[in-house]
Amino acid sequence: MEPLKQHTGRVYPLNRANVDTDQIIPKQFLKRIERQGFGQFLFYHWRFHDDGTKRKDFSLNDPMYEGASILVGGENFGCGSSREHAPWAIQDFGFKVVIAPSFADIFYNNCFKNGILPIQLPISVTENMIKEAEDHPYELKVDLEEQVVSDGSQTVSFDIQPYHKEMLLNGWDEIAVTLTYQEKIDQFEQKQS
Amino acid sequence: MDQPKTIIEKIWEQHMVHEEEGKPDLLYIDLHLIHEVTSPQAFEGLRMSGRQVRRPDRTYATMDHNVPTVHRNVIKDAVSKKQMDTLKENCEEFGIRLADIDHPDQGIVHVIGPELGLTQPGKTIVCGDSHTSTHGAFGALAFGIGTSEVEHVLATQSLWQSKPKTLQVHVDGKLGTGVTAKDLILAIIGKFGVRFGTGHVIEYTGEAVQNLSMEERMTVCNMSIEAGARAGLISPDEKTVEYLKGRRHVPAGQDFDDVVDQWLSLASDEGASYDQTVMIHADEIEPQVTWGTNPSQSVPVGGHVPDPEVVKEDRDGVERAIEYMGLEANQSIESIPVEHVFIGSCTNSRLSDLKRAAEIVRGGKVHDRVKAIVVPGSQTVKHQAEAEGLHTIFLTAGFEWRDAGCSMCLAMNDDIVPPGERCASTSNRNFEGRQGNGSRTHLVSPEMAAAAALEGRFVDVRKYASTVGG
Ligand code: SF4
């Protein structure tokens, strides 16, 4: 996994609560057995008409957000199914950071395994970011080491578990880390049987 | 005496392999269930890094999400077929037991785990599927994981998990006649919302919960994820023991007696404290119908679609949901016509669900407008139902009687609700497009779904008073 220390990018605002993983990546795309290539299907039914043409009424199709790499969403982002295809699609589309007032647990965890940084901020802050980004091209600078997000005029700090932080900063392979505890797992199993 | 503990804390402590300041705990996983959709990339990851499956004997696989529920041996969709073949190859390569499409044990992963006795009190159980919470009905700590975690468990039989907060959902009183476990959990989510459980494991307690059968408990725990919780469980009791006795993977004889003592000792201690407690009164609950696009958007069947002008929260969301669902503000629920009825899914596809639905259906006819299907949760359920003649009741009334799978719950196979059409469904999610692009889902109990099939619209199942059990 690629380490992520700092990131600066354009914001895409998605002003909806309870965006579920069925919307992020609809089920017909879950049949693939690969990990790559899901970005083209991100928010599929919101982005495209049934005939495959782009919907004008969905903001991600607005040229203003082309190349955006920071998604700012609403409450309970990523709820529903545990499908990791959701973070795969978000990452493959080009997003590196997702900011929301609250996340669903499984989605939040899945992000770290895929080099995406989910940041939880108070709703007053996220709503303000959404307003700015709906209004004009809006950039944020995220510094994971310092745990701050800044738009140049305002800086807010965020919480993150030290373990998650380390994982992203170092781009760790979590399984390799766990395998260094193999002996403890062996001992546990011996005790259990 | 030691400090009183909840079952959640007890199971957690018993499974802790390693703990360290500033880190999640390394938790041992007793049982890992896998299916065709969320596992291929995990096996591929293992192969790429030359890793093995640590405990194939603690891993069990089935096919459920993609499988056809008619004409099982012709899988027309090449991509689905590839996914099923891939699971088969992976299970062969890594020595994992698989109930594949032709296997008599095949079924929805959350139906067959308990059925085979793989699910037991006190176990940690994971699966690449959010409704793994179902197994919590047995007093197991069971939760859904992503594919990277599936790979992690395959390789290490453990997971890094931060200790969850505990949330007690206390249900006192008794459920009324015709009011089911499904109505109970829909009412809980309706009252407290889709994220009140975030970061928590729920324990359901109280008289109404104790009175539920094991299959009803599974219905409740199943939808814990719809409340945002990581897992939901119920302390084991005599009913749990009774259900598990004699099942294939449960110890027998003296070993059974020993294990029963262990199981019962897991129940939350009197006076144990929770990070949060919420209460609901069972006697106030009525048969529920969801009108919107998230599971908290439900009302009693006698109620109305809300008016966005007067709702206090998330006005835009309510408005969008009403529009998507093709409804009108203040429209009465009983005036909503349905074109499809789906009785199935890991929420409501067990024998008792089918029995209760059949009681409503018996002697009736499916409404002209409606296409109705029954999809048993497992091949075992199917055969038991057939032994009791339930299939004849459904078929005579005009229902289709299918083979086991997830089917129309998420419409990954051919069982799809067409755009703009409406389905009364016993499943757990009414998200936009869940049952097919543009489909409109109303979540209900099996009894309510059966009644909607006969009448072509929602009706209060309590009007079938002579047939609905208490
Ligand atoms: S029945 Fe539905 S909710 Fe249950 S496992 Fe299958 S797809 Fe998921």
Side-chain angles (χ1 to χ4, degrees):
Chain A
M1 202 173 76
E2 296 260 307
L4 190 143
K5 295 189 165 81
Q6 282 178 350
H7 177 76
T8 303
R10 181 169 296 185
V11 171
Y12 167 61
L14 183 59
N15 193 14
R16 296 185 184 193
N18 306 316
V19 170
D20 60 74
T21 52
D22 276 74
Q23 305 317 319
I24 297 173
I25 179 103
K27 63 201 156 241
Q28 62 268 38
F29 307 116
L30 306 186
K31 295 182 183 178
R32 300 158 56 101
I33 57 169
E34 302 84 19
R35 239 177 221 261
Q36 275 78 36
F38 286 98
Q40 52 187 314
F41 310 122
L42 179 71
F43 297 125
Y44 192 82
H45 294 301
W46 288 348
R47 271 167 67 209
F48 300 104
H49 290 290
D50 292 348
D51 63 4
T53 54
K54 283 191 176 178
R55 299 177 73 119
K56 288 214 170 62
D57 58 353
F58 187 58
S59 55
L60 190 54
N61 290 330
D62 186 331
M64 171 151 108
Y65 301 118
E66 215 171 284
S69 59
I70 299 178
L71 192 157
V72 182
E75 294 270 19
N76 203 24
F77 192 89
C79 61
S81 151
S82 63
R83 58 187 72 163
E84 198 161 321
H85 311 70
W88 294 340
I90 287 176
Q91 193 246 17
D92 190 56
F93 192 85
F95 290 109
K96 294 213 162 0
V97 177
V98 181
I99 301 175
S102 60
F103 290 93
D105 290 332
I106 303 177
F107 176 84
Y108 184 80
N109 264 314
N110 281 341
C111 283
F112 292 106
K113 323 273 173 186
N114 294 286
I116 302 169
L117 170 60
I119 300 177
Q120 197 174 346
L121 289 175
I123 190 156
S124 56
V125 177
T126 59
E127 278 182 342
N128 191 42
M129 288 173 170
I130 286 175
K131 226 186 270 147
E132 294 271 6
E134 280 178 343
D135 216 47
H136 56 93
Y138 181 63
E139 273 204 352
L140 287 174
K141 183 174 175 198
V142 177
D143 188 326
L144 176 57
E145 215 131 37
E146 299 296 321
Q147 296 182 212
V148 290
V149 182
S150 164
D151 67 358
S153 64
Q154 252 194 354
T155 301
V156 285
S157 59
F158 61 88
D159 276 342
I160 181 169
Q161 267 199 25
Y163 176 76
H164 284 147
K165 180 171 171 178
E166 289 279 290
M167 238 171 61
L168 282 185
L169 287 176
N170 297 297
W172 271 337
D173 165 5
E174 196 181 32
I175 298 177
V177 174
T178 310
L179 288 174
T180 64
Y181 293 86
Q182 200 151 355
E183 221 170 285
K184 290 203 91 171
I185 303 172
D186 292 343
Q187 284 167 6
F188 183 92
E189 283 181 341
Q190 276 158 16
K191 205 177 65 201
Q192 210 190 27
S193 58
Chain B
M1 200 184 124
D2 294 343
Q3 173 106 355
K5 284 182 187 147
T6 65
I7 178 171
I8 302 160
E9 294 163 294
K10 292 183 198 180
I11 300 176
W12 196 272
E13 282 169 15
Q14 288 175 8
H15 289 82
M16 195 131 69
V17 174
H18 178 78
E19 101 187 281
E20 197 177 316
E21 187 66 28
K23 260 193 179 183
D25 297 333
L26 188 61
L27 208 64
Y28 191 77
I29 301 303
D30 293 320
L31 175 65
H32 186 194
L33 301 167
I34 58 181
H35 63 80
E36 76 277 25
V37 177
T38 54
S39 67
Q41 293 87 352
F43 284 110
E44 188 53 26
L46 285 187
R47 263 192 296 271
M48 272 161 39
S49 32
R51 289 172 181 145
Q52 286 301 317
V53 174
R54 183 183 170 94
R55 295 295 299 265
D57 59 320
R58 289 183 176 262
T59 314
Y60 192 97
T62 190
M63 299 177 178
D64 52 7
H65 283 65
N66 270 335
V67 298
T69 54
V70 274
H71 310 306
R72 302 210 112 184
N73 26 23
V74 270
I75 299 161
K76 282 176 281 173
D77 180 347
V79 200
S80 288
K81 175 138 188 354
K82 177 98 204 263
Q83 211 167 45
M84 289 183 246
D85 290 345
T86 304
L87 179 63
K88 206 165 173 172
E89 286 159 22
N90 285 330
C91 287
E92 274 164 20
E93 181 181 342
F94 291 98
I96 294 167
R97 292 163 293 177
L98 166 69
D100 74 1
I101 190 156
D102 307 316
H103 198 285
D105 294 336
Q106 182 270 343
I108 304 173
V109 62
H110 311 309
V111 175
I112 67 172
E115 205 167 66
L116 296 171
L118 289 162
T119 304
Q120 292 170 18
K123 279 193 180 181
T124 46
I125 302 175
V126 297
C127 174
D129 190 282
S130 58
H131 292 101
T132 309
S133 59
T134 314
H135 306 262
F138 292 81
L141 183 64
F143 50 94
I145 56 178
T147 298
S148 297
E149 290 175 314
V150 170
E151 184 180 339
H152 191 278
V153 177
L154 288 172
T156 70
Q157 204 60 34
S158 65
L159 268 182
W160 295 98
Q161 289 285 307
S162 355
K163 201 166 180 183
K165 285 183 270 185
T166 55
L167 166 59
Q168 180 186 29
V169 174
H170 190 79
V171 194
D172 63 6
K174 291 189 171 62
L175 290 172
T177 304
V179 183
T180 68
K182 180 65 160 288
D183 302 306
L184 168 60
I185 187 66
L186 283 173
I188 291 171
I189 299 164
K191 179 164 179 183
F192 302 108
V194 288
R195 53 173 187 273
F196 82 102
T198 306
H200 292 76
V201 171
I202 296 176
E203 180 178 357
Y204 300 93
T205 61
E207 185 189 352
V209 174
Q210 282 159 7
N211 285 342
L212 297 175
S213 70
M214 289 314 296
E215 298 198 346
E216 292 171 320
R217 291 179 187 184
M218 288 188 244
T219 300
V220 171
C221 290
N222 175 271
M223 291 191 70
S224 304
I225 183 77
E226 265 62 61
R230 280 160 80 175
L233 51 65
I234 295 170
S235 284
D237 60 12
E238 288 304 330
K239 279 187 195 165
T240 322
V241 173
E242 203 42 50
Y243 178 99
L244 288 171
K245 195 173 183 177
R247 295 202 181 248
R248 200 181 312 160
H249 293 276
V250 172
Q254 181 59 44
D255 289 349
F256 182 70
D257 297 338
D258 294 346
V259 87
V260 165
D261 290 341
Q262 276 177 42
W263 289 348
L264 294 176
S265 71
L266 287 166
S268 289
D269 300 328
E270 190 126 352
S273 64
Y274 298 81
D275 292 302
Q276 232 195 104
T277 295
V278 298
M279 299 265 287
I280 188 163
H281 305 294
D283 10 19
E284 290 170 7
I285 297 172
E286 297 186 62
Q288 301 285 309
V289 180
T290 64
W291 53 266
T293 54
N294 81 49
S296 72
Q297 293 174 323
S298 74
V299 287
V301 58
H304 296 81
V305 176
D307 185 343
E309 296 298 316
V310 299
V311 297
K312 290 188 204 78
E313 270 175 44
D314 193 23
R315 189 162 295 176
D316 292 352
V318 169
E319 208 161 343
R320 206 169 42 240
I322 293 176
E323 194 195 322
Y324 178 86
M325 292 296 290
L327 298 169
E328 276 166 35
N330 301 313
Q331 182 175 355
S332 82
I333 296 294
E334 293 197 306
S335 72
I336 303 174
V338 302
E339 288 99 28
H340 297 265
V341 169
F342 169 57
I343 299 180
S345 92
C346 57
T347 317
N348 280 129
S349 63
R350 298 178 181 80
L351 188 63
S352 60
D353 296 311
L354 305 191
K355 263 191 198 165
R356 295 196 318 270
E359 282 316 310
I360 304 287
V361 170
R362 191 191 291 276
K365 276 276 172 249
V366 170
H367 191 278
D368 286 347
R369 173 184 331 128
V370 177
K371 185 169 151 43
I373 64 173
V374 184
V375 185
S378 69
Q379 290 303 83
T380 307
V381 169
K382 186 180 188 214
H383 293 131
Q384 287 169 340
E386 287 175 353
E388 297 195 17
L390 302 185
H391 64 311
T392 320
I393 299 175
F394 286 116
L395 286 166
T396 311
F399 277 83
E400 290 181 40
W401 178 251
R402 299 290 188 87
D403 282 308
C406 294
S407 179
M408 208 177 262
C409 172
L410 91 166
M412 267 184 91
N413 66 358
D414 292 336
D415 307 337
I416 290 173
V417 177
E421 295 191 15
R422 202 176 285 292
C423 182
S425 176
T426 65
S427 55
N428 45 43
R429 289 197 172 130
N430 51 349
F431 297 156
E432 286 182 24
R434 173 78 178 180
Q435 298 189 288
N437 184 25
S439 63
R440 295 164 172 164
T441 304
H442 298 271
L443 303 176
V444 288
S445 71
E447 288 89 326
M448 286 286 291
L454 302 186
E455 310 235 5
R457 63 184 179 91
F458 294 105
V459 287
D460 190 336
V461 73
R462 289 172 295 188
K463 87 174 204 202
Y464 293 78
S466 59
T467 47
V468 290

mmCIF file of all heavy atoms in Angstrom, chain A residues 20 26 34 54 75-76 134 155-156 185:
data_model
loop_
_atom_site.group_PDB
_atom_site.id
_atom_site.type_symbol
_atom_site.label_atom_id
_atom_site.label_comp_id
_atom_site.label_asym_id
_atom_site.label_seq_id
_atom_site.Cartn_x
_atom_site.Cartn_y
_atom_site.Cartn_z
ATOM 1 N N ASP A 20 -25.187 5.153 1.186
ATOM 2 C CA ASP A 20 -24.878 3.754 1.488
ATOM 3 C C ASP A 20 -23.993 3.145 0.413
ATOM 4 O O ASP A 20 -23.873 3.688 -0.689
ATOM 5 C CB ASP A 20 -26.175 2.962 1.684
ATOM 6 C CG ASP A 20 -27.054 2.979 0.450
ATOM 7 O OD1 ASP A 20 -26.704 2.294 -0.518
ATOM 8 O OD2 ASP A 20 -28.082 3.694 0.453
ATOM 9 N N PRO A 26 -23.046 -0.028 -7.043
ATOM 10 C CA PRO A 26 -24.202 -0.935 -7.142
ATOM 11 C C PRO A 26 -23.782 -2.389 -7.376
ATOM 12 O O PRO A 26 -22.733 -2.660 -7.945
ATOM 13 C CB PRO A 26 -24.978 -0.390 -8.352
ATOM 14 C CG PRO A 26 -24.502 1.006 -8.531
ATOM 15 C CD PRO A 26 -23.081 1.020 -8.075
ATOM 16 N N GLU A 34 -11.567 -9.106 -9.588
ATOM 17 C CA GLU A 34 -10.352 -8.301 -9.434
ATOM 18 C C GLU A 34 -10.596 -7.207 -8.398
ATOM 19 O O GLU A 34 -11.725 -6.924 -8.027
ATOM 20 C CB GLU A 34 -9.974 -7.603 -10.757
ATOM 21 C CG GLU A 34 -9.747 -8.521 -11.938
ATOM 22 C CD GLU A 34 -11.048 -8.891 -12.648
ATOM 23 O OE1 GLU A 34 -12.057 -8.180 -12.470
ATOM 24 O OE2 GLU A 34 -11.059 -9.919 -13.352
ATOM 25 N N LYS A 54 -24.254 10.482 -19.369
ATOM 26 C CA LYS A 54 -24.078 11.126 -18.066
ATOM 27 C C LYS A 54 -25.300 11.930 -17.670
ATOM 28 O O LYS A 54 -25.910 12.605 -18.497
ATOM 29 C CB LYS A 54 -22.871 12.072 -18.136
ATOM 30 C CG LYS A 54 -21.553 11.346 -18.069
ATOM 31 C CD LYS A 54 -20.427 12.346 -17.869
ATOM 32 C CE LYS A 54 -19.123 11.593 -17.703
ATOM 33 N NZ LYS A 54 -17.973 12.488 -17.546
ATOM 34 N N GLU A 75 -23.652 12.882 7.138
ATOM 35 C CA GLU A 75 -23.671 11.937 8.263
ATOM 36 C C GLU A 75 -23.755 10.488 7.784
ATOM 37 O O GLU A 75 -24.390 10.204 6.767
ATOM 38 C CB GLU A 75 -24.916 12.181 9.130
ATOM 39 C CG GLU A 75 -24.938 13.508 9.845
ATOM 40 C CD GLU A 75 -24.306 13.477 11.225
ATOM 41 O OE1 GLU A 75 -23.532 12.544 11.514
ATOM 42 O OE2 GLU A 75 -24.589 14.422 11.992
ATOM 43 N N ASN A 76 -23.156 9.591 8.562
ATOM 44 C CA ASN A 76 -23.309 8.139 8.361
ATOM 45 C C ASN A 76 -22.841 7.712 6.974
ATOM 46 O O ASN A 76 -23.439 6.865 6.335
ATOM 47 C CB ASN A 76 -24.782 7.757 8.568
ATOM 48 C CG ASN A 76 -24.968 6.303 8.923
ATOM 49 O OD1 ASN A 76 -24.056 5.660 9.439
ATOM 50 N ND2 ASN A 76 -26.131 5.777 8.625
ATOM 51 N N GLU A 134 -19.405 23.974 -3.144
ATOM 52 C CA GLU A 134 -20.521 24.072 -4.084
ATOM 53 C C GLU A 134 -20.478 25.409 -4.812
ATOM 54 O O GLU A 134 -20.991 25.544 -5.914
ATOM 55 C CB GLU A 134 -21.861 23.933 -3.325
ATOM 56 C CG GLU A 134 -22.185 22.476 -3.018
ATOM 57 C CD GLU A 134 -23.478 22.291 -2.217
ATOM 58 O OE1 GLU A 134 -23.984 23.274 -1.611
ATOM 59 O OE2 GLU A 134 -23.967 21.158 -2.197
ATOM 60 N N THR A 155 -7.809 26.439 9.783
ATOM 61 C CA THR A 155 -7.213 25.124 10.002
ATOM 62 C C THR A 155 -7.967 24.413 11.122
ATOM 63 O O THR A 155 -8.207 25.001 12.171
ATOM 64 C CB THR A 155 -5.727 25.274 10.403
ATOM 65 O OG1 THR A 155 -5.063 25.972 9.348
ATOM 66 C CG2 THR A 155 -5.060 23.920 10.589
ATOM 67 N N VAL A 156 -8.354 23.164 10.864
ATOM 68 C CA VAL A 156 -9.005 22.392 11.928
ATOM 69 C C VAL A 156 -8.211 21.110 12.161
ATOM 70 O O VAL A 156 -7.604 20.574 11.239
ATOM 71 C CB VAL A 156 -10.468 21.997 11.582
ATOM 72 C CG1 VAL A 156 -11.393 23.171 11.701
ATOM 73 C CG2 VAL A 156 -10.557 21.359 10.211
ATOM 74 N N ILE A 185 -0.385 -16.056 18.682
ATOM 75 C CA ILE A 185 -1.582 -16.734 18.151
ATOM 76 C C ILE A 185 -1.453 -18.239 18.394
ATOM 77 O O ILE A 185 -2.414 -18.892 18.812
ATOM 78 C CB ILE A 185 -1.786 -16.416 16.654
ATOM 79 C CG1 ILE A 185 -1.899 -14.899 16.438
ATOM 80 C CG2 ILE A 185 -3.045 -17.105 16.122
ATOM 81 C CD1 ILE A 185 -1.921 -14.458 14.984
#
